[in-house]
Amino acid sequence: MVSTGGGFYRYRFGDAVRCHGFYMQAPLLHFEGRIDQVCDVCGEKLNARLVAAALRRAEQDTAVSLSFALVTPVAGDPPRYRLYGEGTDDANLRAFGDRLDRALAENDSYRYARALGQLAAIEAVAVRDGAARYHRACVATGQRPGNIKPTYLDNRLDWSAVFGGVTAAPSELSEAAR
């Protein structure tokens, strides 16, 4: 998007942004993810914008602020999503993962997949240097460094090789939340 003295020009990049305030009269925009970035393991159709909103709710409810967060699908029986998070201890990350699972369950399709047992609870994994590792992994797959945008959702299945295999216990969604 480009703004000039002659007006505001709009371009369709497929990015979702949120205005979180103003500097003088210029809007302050926060990148929330790609609109076309969707992950569908078993019919739940999560998108980066929905995951970003769920992460914000989890942050508010747990008072945990992660410096890095990435949600990815993980193959298994049943499959699940994994939260790679940085910025807190394992116990708080586990609580954050529980709350994130409940926030995602506000999506009817996600909640239904969880209730049927087609999708397991989110697994929370503590990482170090998450943003740098994410950036290096994107460059290794051929992305130009200037084109890499942080995201909260990625549907690639190879992130455990990037972030390592030490995991916290899986979150468990309570029966009342289902």
Side-chain angles (χ1 to χ4, degrees), residues 81-100:
Y81 284 91
R82 182 174 288 154
L83 165 67
Y84 293 101
E86 180 176 10
T88 190
D89 59 50
D90 284 348
N92 283 331
L93 185 61
R94 226 178 343 269
F96 188 95
D98 287 338
R99 182 58 190 106
L100 177 61

Side-chain angles (χ1 to χ4, degrees), residues 80-162:
R80 67 173 28 147
Y81 284 91
R82 182 174 288 154
L83 165 67
Y84 293 101
E86 180 176 10
T88 190
D89 59 50
D90 284 348
N92 283 331
L93 185 61
R94 226 178 343 269
F96 188 95
D98 287 338
R99 182 58 190 106
L100 177 61
D101 203 48
R102 286 194 305 274
L104 289 173
E106 293 172 15
N107 172 300
D108 292 334
S109 300
Y110 183 89
R111 183 175 58 251
Y112 188 61
R114 290 279 289 117
L116 290 177
Q118 294 175 328
L119 194 61
I122 286 182
E123 179 181 33
V125 177
V127 298
R128 289 196 177 123
D129 301 320
R133 287 180 175 192
Y134 174 80
H135 194 270
R136 282 192 302 268
C138 290
V139 169
T141 62
Q143 288 186 29
R144 297 168 121 188
N147 292 343
I148 297 170
K149 295 179 184 173
T151 185
Y152 296 113
L153 177 69
D154 193 294
N155 60 9
R156 293 185 355 211
L157 294 173
D158 59 348
W159 288 107
S160 62
V162 173

